[in-house]
C-alpha cells in the first residue's frame, strides 16, 4: 500500500489568507458568544488563538459572563513530566459535591461544548474520579471515570441552547469526586447540524429522520481519511481529526492520495459547504479504492465500535481530487451490508475538487459495530457489482464524522441552590481578543482587495427536545432553574387557589388533588398538587416538566409552571374547561358528542401523538394513551395530557427495553409480553381509544359478562357473529355516513394488530381519520350494497386481540389500575392528569 508521510504542510498564499479569514471571523465574536475557561487557574492560557480565562480571576468592575455554584478546590499538576505540555492540563478544579458552571447565553442556536479531562496526579489521583456530567436538560456523561482520560482528554458535544442561563453540572458518584481541566462553549456555524437526514437501519430501510437539531449529539469519531492527524491549530473550529488506518478492515487494498488543489467551495450547489465544514487538508487527502481485476472488486470498508443502543449521525465527506477531468467517475457508498447509495460527485458541482458531504442517521445492527464502505456501483436487483463504464473506475473517501444521538432527558439532579455564588469574571478574553483583532484587521484590509469573505448568517431557532424519566428522590430545590423560568412561587399558587380551597377542588388523581385556580393576570389554571412531603410520583413529576417545558403544540396540553418548594410537587396547566374525553363518552351526564365532533377530537389527539413521535419533539413515546388523558378545551379542541410515563425512544421497528408501564385495557400486548417499547405501543392504545369513541363504553368493564368485559375482545366476537352494529353507541346510529364508518373501523383494525410492525404510524392514522371526516362531510355516491349504515363494515376482519391474564371481577367499572414505575397500581379514576371543569367527577 502506498502511504504518504506528512512531515511538513505547505499552504499556498491563497490558502493562508483563507485560514486567517476564518480565524478572524471567530475572533471577532470572542468576547460576546464564546466561553473558554481554564479551570482551577488564576492565569489565562492562550491556545490556538483561543484565550482560556482562569476561573480564579475576578473583577468588581466588570459584569459576570459565567459563574460557579458549589464547593470545589483548584489543584495543580505537580508532575511536569506527566505527558502533556498543554497549559490547560496543568491545573484542574475538583468537586466533592454537586456543583455547576453557569453561562449567560445571548442567542438561540447549536453550541459546541467541549469538556477537557486530563487526569494528572496531585495529592488526589484524578484518575480515580467517578462522576456524571449534565447540562440544563441533558445527560452528557454517566459513570464517567478519569481512568484513561489522558489518552483522549476532550469530550465534544453539540447542543441546542436557548437564550438565558445554561448550566454544566458535575455530580460525583457516591463518595467519589469530579474534576475538569477546561471548558469551551461557543456557537457552531448555523448550518453545521442539519434538522433532517437520511435514516438507515441495519435492515437497509431508507427513510427521512427529522428533528436532529432538537437533540444533543456527542462526537465519537472524526476521521481524516487518507491523511495525517489534524490538530486544532489548523482547524477552523479547533477540532481534532485522526487518520483512518486503524479503522480499515482491509488496509492492504487502500491507497492514500494527496493533491495540492484547493477545494472549490464556491462551486458547490449547497451553500452549507464552507471553510467551517472541514479543514482544507481533509479535502486534499483521500483513501482510494481501485479495481484489481475486470470484475470491479475494489471495496474498502471501515469499521467503528459504537453504542448499539443509540442512533448515530454519520457524515461522509467527499472531494474529487483523483480524477483527471470532471464527470468521469461515480461509485457506491455502503452502510452495513444492506444499504447502498450511488455517489456522483458532479451532482454537487460541475468542477473537479468540489467538496460535499452527506448525512445519515444510522441505527445499530446490535453488533456494536458500524461498517461504512466504498466500491463499484451495485446492482441491487441482480445482486451484482459492475464497472460504471466511465474513464475512472475508482472510489474514494475524504473524511468521516460519527456523532452519537444522546437526546434530551429528564433531570436526575440533587443539586441544592446556594444563595452565595463564587463569581468568575472574563477579563482576559476581552484583552486577548482585542490584541488579536488588531493584528488580523490589518491583514484583513490587504486580503479584502483580492477577495471578500462570504458572510455566515445565524438564524433564530428554538429547540424542541424530548424528555425522559428520572428516578432520584427530590429534596427542596432539586430542579435548579432547568426549565426556562417556569418555576412559580408557592405563595402565588396559594393565592391562585385561595389556599387550596376545597370548593375549588375539581378532581383527585393518584398523584394528588387537582384544583382550579386563577393567576394574578386572570389566567385560568388547573393545579395538580401531590401530598406534601410524600415523595411519591417524583419520576412522573420530573418527566412531565422536562417534556412539556420543551415542546409546544396545539394538541398537547400546555404547562404553565411548576413548584418544588417546601417539599411540594405542584404542576400548573392551562385550564381545560370541558374536562376529559371520557367525560363526554360515558360515566357522566354530559350530552353525547356528535360523530363529527368525535372525529375531530380523534384527529386532534392523533396530531398531538404524531408530533410526539415524529415532529420536532422527536421520538417521544407517551405510554399511557387513553380517554382520561385526552383533554378538551372550551371549544372541544383535543389536547393530549399526562406525560409522566413518557419515554424518549427510537423510531420505526427498533425498540427500547423497559419496565412495562401503562393502563390495563390499553396496554400493547406485544409490549406487555416482550417489555420492548416502540411508538407502535401508543398506536395500539389509540386503537382502543377509537373503539371507545365509537362504542361509548370503557376499555375494561368488569360489571359486564366476562366475554364482554374487554372492549377489543368483545368487538372481535361481534364481528365474527356479524353483530358489529350492536356495539356502536346508539346515539350515533342515525348520523354516521356509511363510508366514513367503514374507514374509521378499518383504521381501528389496523391499530389493533397483534404485531407492532403491522400497525400504521400515527401519521398514517391521522391521514385516515381526516379522510373519514371528509367522507362524513361529503355526500358520496353509493353502490346498492352500501345502503346500510353498518352492514358493509361488519364484513371487515378485526384483528386477533391477545388476552391478558384474568382480571379480578371485584374491580369497579372505572377503577382499572395503571401500572407505575415501582410496579404499584393507581386507580384509573385517580390518574395523574385528570384536569376537569367545575362539577365534574
Amino acid at each position: 500500500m502506498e502511504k504518504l508521510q506528512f512531515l511538513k504542510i505547505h499552504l499556498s498564499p491563497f490558502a493562508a489568507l483563507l485560514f486567517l479569514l476564518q480565524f478572524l471571523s471567530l475572533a471577532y465574536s470572542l468576547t460576546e458568544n464564546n466561553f473558554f475557561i481554564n479551570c482551577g487557574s488564576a492565569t489565562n492560557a492562550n491556545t490556538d488563538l483561543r484565550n482560556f480565562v482562569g476561573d480564579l480571576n475576578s473583577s468588581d468592575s466588570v459584569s459576570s459572563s459565567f459563574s460557579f455554584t458549589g464547593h470545589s478546590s483548584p489543584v495543580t499538576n505537580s508532575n511536569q513530566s506527566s505527558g502533556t505540555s498543554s497549559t490547560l492540563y496543568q491545573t484542574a478544579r475538583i468537586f466533592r459535591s454537586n456543583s455547576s458552571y453557569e453561562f449567560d447565553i445571548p442567542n438561540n442556536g447549536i453550541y459546541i461544548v467541549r469538556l477537557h479531562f486530563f487526569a494528572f496526579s496531585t495529592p488526589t489521583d484524578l484518575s480515580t474520579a467517578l462522576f456524571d456530567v449534565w447540562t440544563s436538560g441533558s445527560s452528557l456523561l454517566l459513570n464517567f471515570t478519569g481512568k484513561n482520560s489522558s489518552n483522549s482528554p476532550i469530550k465534544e458535544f453539540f447542543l441546542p441552547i436557548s437564550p438565558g442561563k445554561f448550566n454544566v453540572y458535575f455530580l460525583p458518584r457516591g463518595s467519589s469526586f469530579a474534576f475538569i481541566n477546561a471548558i469551551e462553549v461557543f456557537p457552531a456555524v448555523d448550518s453545521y447540524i442539519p434538522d433532517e437526514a437520511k435514516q438507515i437501519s441495519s435492515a437497509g430501510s431508507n427513510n427521512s429522520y427529522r428533528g436532529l437539531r432538537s437533540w444533543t449529539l456527542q462526537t465519537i469519531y472524526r476521521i481524516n481519511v487518507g491523511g495525517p492527524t489534524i490538530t486544532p491549530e489548523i482547524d477552523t473550529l479547533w477540532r481534532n481529526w485522526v487518520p483512518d488506518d486503524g479503522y480499515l478492515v482491509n488496509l492492504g487494498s487502500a491507497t492514500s492520495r494527496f493533491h495540492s488543489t484547493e477545494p472549490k467551495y464556491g462551486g458547490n450547489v449547497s451553500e452549507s459547504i464552507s471553510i467551517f465544514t472541514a479543514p482544507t487538508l481533509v479535502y486534499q487527502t483521500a483513501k482510494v479504492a481501485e479495481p484489481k481485476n475486470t470484475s470491479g472488486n475494489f471495496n474498502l470498508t471501515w469499521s467503528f465500535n459504537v453504542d448499539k443502543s443509540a442512533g448515530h449521525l454519520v457524515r461522509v465527506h467527499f472531494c474529487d481530487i483523483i480524477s483527471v477531468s470532471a464527470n468521469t467517475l461515480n461509485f457506491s457508498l455502503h452502510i452495513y451490508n444492506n444499504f447502498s447509495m450511488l455517489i456522483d460527485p458532479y451532482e454537487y458541482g460541475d468542477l473537479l475538487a468540489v467538496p460535499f458531504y452527506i448525512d445519515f442517521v444510522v441505527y445499530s445492527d446490535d453488533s456494536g459495530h458500524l461498517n461504512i464502505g466504498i466500491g463499484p456501483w451495485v446492482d441491487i436487483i441482480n445482486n451484482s457489482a459492475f464497472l460504471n463504464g466511465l474513464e475512472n473506475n475508482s472510489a474514494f473517501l475524504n473524511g468521516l464524522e460519527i456523532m452519537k444521538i444522546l437526546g434530551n432527558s429528564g433531570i436526575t439532579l440533587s443539586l441544592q441552590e446556594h444563595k452565595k455564588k463564587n463569581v468568575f469574571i472574563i477579563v482576559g478574553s476581552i484583552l486577548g481578543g482585542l490584541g488579536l483583532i488588531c493584528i488580523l484587521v490589518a491583514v484583513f484590509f490587504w486580503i479584502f482587495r483580492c477577495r471578500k469573505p462570504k458572510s455566515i448568517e445565524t438564524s433564530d431557532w428554538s429547540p424542541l427536545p424530548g424528555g425522559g424519566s428520572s428516578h432520584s428522590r427530590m429534596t427542596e430545590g432539586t430542579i435548579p432553574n432547568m426549565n426556562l423560568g417556569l418555576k412559580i412561587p408557592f405563595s402565588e399558587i396559594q393565592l391562585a387557589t385561595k389556599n387550596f380551597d376545597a370548593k375549588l377542588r375539581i378532581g383527585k388523581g393518584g398523584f394528588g388533588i387537582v384544583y382550579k385556580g386563577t393567576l394574578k393576570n386572570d389566567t385560568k389554571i388547573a393545579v395538580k398538587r401531590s401530598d406534601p412531603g410524600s415523595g411519591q410520583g417524583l419520576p412522573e413529576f420530573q418527566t412531565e416538566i422536562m417534556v412539556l417545558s420543551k415542546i409546544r403544540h396545539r394538541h398537547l396540553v400546555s404547562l404553565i409552571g411548576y413548584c418544588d418548594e417546601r417539599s411540594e410537587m405542584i404542576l400548573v396547566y392551562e385550564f381545560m374547561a370541558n374536562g376529559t374525553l371520557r367525560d363526554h363518552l360515558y360515566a357522566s351526564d354530559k350530552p353525547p358528542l356528535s360523530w363529527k365532533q368525535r372525529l375531530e377530537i380523534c384527529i386532534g389527539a392523533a396530531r398531538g401523538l404524531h408530533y410526539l413521535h415524529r415532529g420536532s419533539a422527536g421520538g417521544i413515546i407517551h405510554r399511557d394513551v387513553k380517554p382520561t388523558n385526552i383533554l378538551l378545551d372550551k371549544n372541544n379542541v383535543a389536547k393530549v395530557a399526562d406525560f409522566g410515563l413518557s419515554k424518549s425512544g427510537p423510531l420505526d421497528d427498533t425498540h427500547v427495553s423497559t419496565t412495562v408501564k401503562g393502563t390495563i385495557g390499553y396496554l400493547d400486548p406485544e409490549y406487555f409480553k416482550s417489555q420492548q417499547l416502540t411508538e407502535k405501543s401508543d398506536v395500539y392504545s389509540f386503537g382502543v381509544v377509537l373503539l371507545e369513541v365509537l362504542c361509548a363504553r370503557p376499555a375494561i368493564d368488569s360489571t359486564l359478562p366476562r366475554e364482554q368485559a374487554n372492549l377489543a375482545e368483545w368487538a372481535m366476537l361481534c364481528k365474527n357473529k356479524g353483530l358489529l352494529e350492536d356495539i356502536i353507541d346508539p346515539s350515533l346510529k342515525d348520523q354516521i355516513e356509511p363510508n366514513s364508518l367503514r374507514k374509521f373501523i378499518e383504521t381501528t383494525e389496523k391499530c389493533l394488530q397483534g404485531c407492532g410492525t403491522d400497525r400504521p404510524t400515527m401519521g398514517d392514522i391521522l391521514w385516515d381519520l381526516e379522510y373519514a371526516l371528509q367522507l362524513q362531510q361529503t355526500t358520496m355516491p353509493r353502490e346498492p350494497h352500501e345502503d346500510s349504515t353498518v352492514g358493509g363494515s361488519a364484513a371487515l376482519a378485526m384483528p386477533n386481540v391477545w388476552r391478558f391474564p384474568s382480571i379480578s371481577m371485584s374491580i369497579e367499572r372505572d377503577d382499572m389500575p395503571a401500572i407505575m414505575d415501582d410496579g404499584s397500581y393507581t386507580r384509573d379514576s385517580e390518574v395523574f392528569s385528570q384536569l376537569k371543569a367545575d362539577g365534574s367527577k
Side-chain angles (χ1 to χ4, degrees):
M1 180 195 71
E2 177 185 350
K3 190 172 182 180
L4 296 178
Q5 297 295 325
F6 292 89
L7 301 178
K8 294 183 179 180
I9 299 174
H10 297 282
L11 298 179
S12 68
F14 180 71
L17 299 184
L18 286 179
F19 184 72
L20 286 173
L21 276 175
Q22 60 202 23
F23 279 110
L24 177 62
S25 176
L26 290 173
Y28 182 76
S29 61
L30 183 64
T31 60
E32 293 184 5
N33 301 322
N34 297 1
F35 303 90
F36 302 104
I37 303 177
N38 187 16
C39 301
S41 177
T43 61
N44 298 345
N46 290 300
T47 303
D48 307 325
L49 295 181
R50 291 165 292 174
N51 189 49
F52 284 80
V53 177
D55 65 4
L56 296 180
N57 285 337
S58 63
S59 172
D60 294 333
S61 60
V62 182
S63 62
S64 175
S65 295
F66 72 93
S67 58
F68 179 79
T69 299
H71 300 291
S72 68
S73 59
V75 293
T76 302
N77 186 358
S78 57
N79 182 8
Q80 296 302 317
S81 60
S82 58
T84 179
S85 59
S86 173
T87 307
L88 294 179
Y89 301 151
Q90 303 308 313
T91 62
R93 182 169 290 279
I94 290 182
F95 312 97
R96 296 289 181 182
S97 62
N98 296 340
S99 307
S100 74
Y101 282 91
E102 183 176 90
F103 303 90
D104 291 322
I105 301 297
N107 300 313
N108 273 329
I110 303 295
Y111 281 72
I112 298 175
V113 175
R114 292 197 187 107
L115 307 176
H116 296 249
F117 303 100
F118 186 88
F120 54 75
S121 292
T122 65
T124 300
D125 185 359
L126 298 187
S127 67
T128 63
L130 181 65
F131 56 98
D132 298 340
V133 180
W134 287 73
T135 63
S136 304
S138 300
S139 59
L140 301 185
L141 299 169
L142 297 177
N143 285 317
F144 180 76
T145 177
K147 186 178 181 181
N148 299 324
S149 64
S150 301
N151 297 328
S152 180
I154 302 175
K155 303 299 180 184
E156 179 184 272
F157 305 88
F158 292 83
L159 288 83
I161 303 180
S162 299
K165 302 296 185 182
F166 172 72
N167 291 82
V168 179
Y169 300 99
F170 297 88
L171 312 175
R173 286 270 180 170
S175 60
S176 189
F177 62 95
F179 77 95
I180 185 72
N181 302 93
I183 302 176
E184 302 174 55
V185 180
F186 62 95
V189 176
D190 186 59
S191 60
Y192 194 88
I193 301 298
D195 197 55
E196 183 174 346
K198 297 178 185 295
Q199 178 178 304
I200 309 300
S201 71
S202 59
S205 62
N206 180 13
N207 301 310
S208 182
Y209 185 100
R210 296 180 178 86
L212 264 175
R213 290 174 63 90
S214 298
W215 300 107
T216 297
L217 307 176
Q218 180 182 3
T219 301
I220 306 299
Y221 298 99
R222 184 171 284 127
I223 310 296
N224 182 23
V225 179
T229 297
I230 299 177
T231 51
E233 64 265 20
I234 58 173
D235 182 280
T236 49
L237 296 176
W238 304 294
R239 294 162 293 195
N240 282 294
W241 300 73
V242 301
D244 66 303
D245 287 351
Y247 305 99
L248 261 174
V249 175
N250 45 351
L251 182 62
S253 62
T255 302
S256 296
R257 294 284 187 89
F258 169 77
H259 200 285
S260 59
T261 301
E262 299 289 345
K264 298 181 177 64
Y265 294 104
N268 197 295
V269 296
S270 172
E271 295 183 357
S272 64
I273 302 292
S274 71
I275 55 177
F276 294 91
T277 304
T280 298
L281 191 57
V282 168
Y283 293 126
Q284 290 180 310
T285 59
K287 269 289 195 311
V288 181
E290 296 175 313
K292 291 186 174 182
N293 51 57
T294 56
S295 68
N297 181 21
F298 55 96
N299 286 305
L300 287 182
T301 301
W302 293 263
S303 183
F304 302 92
N305 294 327
V306 295
D307 183 348
K308 61 184 180 181
S309 64
H312 293 82
L313 173 63
V314 176
R315 175 167 295 175
V316 284
H317 295 267
F318 299 98
C319 184
D320 186 3
I321 60 171
I322 69 172
S323 297
V324 177
S325 57
N327 294 298
T328 60
L329 174 143
N330 57 45
F331 54 92
S332 181
L333 171 72
H334 309 285
I335 299 179
Y336 291 116
N337 296 319
N338 299 310
F339 174 80
S340 294
M341 178 179 180
L342 176 65
I343 302 298
D344 180 1
Y346 312 105
E347 178 184 342
Y348 301 89
D350 296 331
L351 305 173
L352 287 172
V354 171
F356 64 97
Y357 65 84
I358 305 173
D359 288 327
F360 303 90
V361 171
V362 181
Y363 286 100
S364 171
D365 63 352
D366 292 330
S367 68
H369 301 287
L370 174 58
N371 297 325
I372 299 171
I374 55 174
W377 174 238
V378 175
D379 183 351
I380 298 293
I381 296 177
N382 298 315
N383 193 29
S384 63
F386 61 91
L387 296 178
N388 54 35
L390 300 178
E391 176 187 329
N392 187 348
N393 290 316
S394 301
F396 66 88
L397 183 64
N398 300 80
L400 268 170
E401 294 178 82
I402 300 177
M403 305 176 200
K404 181 180 175 181
I405 302 175
L406 300 181
N408 294 280
S409 306
I411 285 289
T412 60
L413 303 181
S414 299
L415 180 59
Q416 296 287 340
E417 291 283 20
H418 295 272
K419 294 181 179 180
K420 184 176 180 180
K421 296 184 178 181
N422 297 319
V423 179
F424 308 116
I425 314 299
I426 293 184
V427 177
S429 64
I430 298 176
L431 299 178
L434 288 176
L436 177 63
I437 290 172
C438 290
I439 297 171
L440 293 180
V441 164
V443 179
F444 171 77
F445 282 109
W446 175 70
I447 297 172
F448 185 78
R449 297 179 181 178
C450 301
R451 176 171 177 168
K452 294 182 180 179
K454 187 179 295 184
S455 64
I456 298 176
E457 297 179 357
T458 302
S459 60
D460 288 338
W461 173 83
S462 179
L464 294 169
S469 64
S470 75
H471 302 279
S472 64
R473 183 175 180 85
M474 187 174 72
T475 57
E476 184 176 350
T478 57
I479 304 182
N481 299 324
M482 69 177 183
N483 286 294
L484 311 179
L486 292 177
K487 206 166 185 177
I488 299 177
F490 182 74
S491 59
E492 188 171 336
I493 295 175
Q494 280 183 304
L495 182 63
T497 59
K498 297 181 180 179
N499 198 24
F500 304 99
D501 189 341
K503 295 179 181 178
L504 295 176
R505 175 174 167 172
I506 57 176
K508 179 175 175 58
F511 180 79
I513 299 174
V514 184
Y515 298 85
K516 182 181 178 181
T518 306
L519 295 177
K520 295 177 182 178
N521 60 4
D522 293 326
T523 300
K524 304 297 182 184
I525 58 173
V527 176
K528 293 196 300 186
R529 184 193 189 194
S530 73
D531 296 328
S534 68
Q536 297 297 314
L538 171 62
E540 291 76 31
F541 176 70
Q542 292 180 320
T543 301
E544 187 109 357
I545 294 171
M546 288 307 305
V547 172
L548 287 178
S549 65
K550 300 296 185 183
I551 60 179
R552 287 292 183 270
H553 191 274
R554 171 176 168 80
H555 294 289
L556 300 179
V557 70
S558 294
L559 179 71
I560 293 176
Y562 73 94
C563 176
D564 65 341
E565 296 176 15
R566 307 180 188 179
S567 300
E568 295 274 357
M569 290 189 294
I570 299 174
L571 295 170
V572 180
Y573 299 88
E574 62 178 324
F575 182 72
M576 303 297 288
N578 283 332
T580 71
L581 173 58
R582 188 189 71 164
D583 294 337
H584 298 265
L585 296 176
Y586 49 86
S588 78
D589 56 358
K590 296 183 183 296
L593 298 167
S594 69
W595 180 241
K596 179 175 178 290
Q597 286 176 312
R598 298 187 198 199
L599 282 176
E600 289 172 339
I601 290 168
C602 291
I603 288 170
R607 283 179 180 153
L609 291 171
H610 177 52
Y611 174 80
L612 289 177
H613 290 177
R614 298 299 181 106
S616 297
I620 297 177
I621 303 171
H622 188 280
R623 279 209 286 187
D624 202 16
V625 178
K626 55 189 177 184
T628 53
N629 288 337
I630 299 174
L631 308 181
L632 306 178
D633 69 7
K634 63 181 180 181
N635 298 315
N636 279 333
V637 173
K639 303 196 178 197
V640 178
D642 198 342
F643 297 85
L645 300 184
S646 295
K647 182 77 174 178
S648 294
L651 302 176
D652 293 328
D653 298 334
T654 53
H655 67 268
V656 56
S657 296
T658 180
T659 304
V660 174
K661 302 176 190 177
T663 302
I664 293 176
Y666 303 89
L667 275 175
D668 169 15
E670 187 177 56
Y671 171 40
F672 186 87
K673 180 178 179 181
S674 67
Q675 298 189 21
Q676 294 179 350
L677 178 69
T678 74
E679 61 172 318
K680 298 301 181 66
S681 299
D682 280 353
V683 170
Y684 181 91
S685 302
F686 191 71
V688 178
V689 171
L690 294 180
L691 278 179
E692 290 188 74
V693 167
L694 180 65
C695 304
R697 56 148 288 185
I700 300 291
D701 189 343
S702 57
T703 65
L704 295 173
R706 185 173 184 81
E707 69 271 17
Q708 300 179 20
N710 185 298
L711 176 58
E713 293 180 359
W714 178 234
M716 182 183 66
L717 290 175
C718 290
K719 184 275 303 180
N720 291 336
K721 296 177 181 179
L723 300 174
L724 192 59
E725 64 269 28
D726 288 354
I727 68 171
I728 296 177
D729 184 359
S731 68
L732 296 177
K733 287 196 173 183
D734 295 328
Q735 56 178 289
I736 307 180
E737 207 284 337
N739 288 313
S740 174
L741 179 60
R742 286 193 189 90
K743 191 63 182 176
F744 187 87
I745 294 178
E746 173 190 321
T747 303
T748 304
E749 176 188 3
K750 290 188 289 186
C751 292
L752 295 174
Q753 292 296 315
C755 181
T757 56
D758 295 333
R759 299 172 200 152
T761 65
M762 287 308 306
D764 295 329
I765 296 167
L766 177 58
W767 191 96
D768 287 342
L769 291 175
E770 289 176 333
Y771 186 51
L773 179 59
Q774 269 190 324
L775 293 174
Q776 178 66 23
Q777 294 175 325
T778 306
T779 302
M780 303 187 66
R782 305 188 185 102
E783 296 297 328
H785 65 276
E786 294 180 337
D787 289 340
S788 170
T789 302
V790 295
S793 61
L796 291 172
M798 294 295 288
N800 293 323
V801 182
W802 304 353
R803 287 182 178 270
F804 287 103
S806 298
I807 301 171
S808 172
M809 292 296 104
S810 65
I811 300 176
E812 294 299 324
R813 173 187 296 253
D814 294 323
D815 293 340
M816 291 310 301
I819 302 175
M820 306 304 288
D821 281 355
D822 57 1
S824 62
Y825 295 86
T826 179
R827 296 184 184 279
D828 187 78
S829 62
E830 299 175 351
V831 172
F832 188 52
S833 273
Q834 284 193 15
L835 311 181
K836 299 181 180 180
D838 293 306
S840 61
K841 298 180 179 180

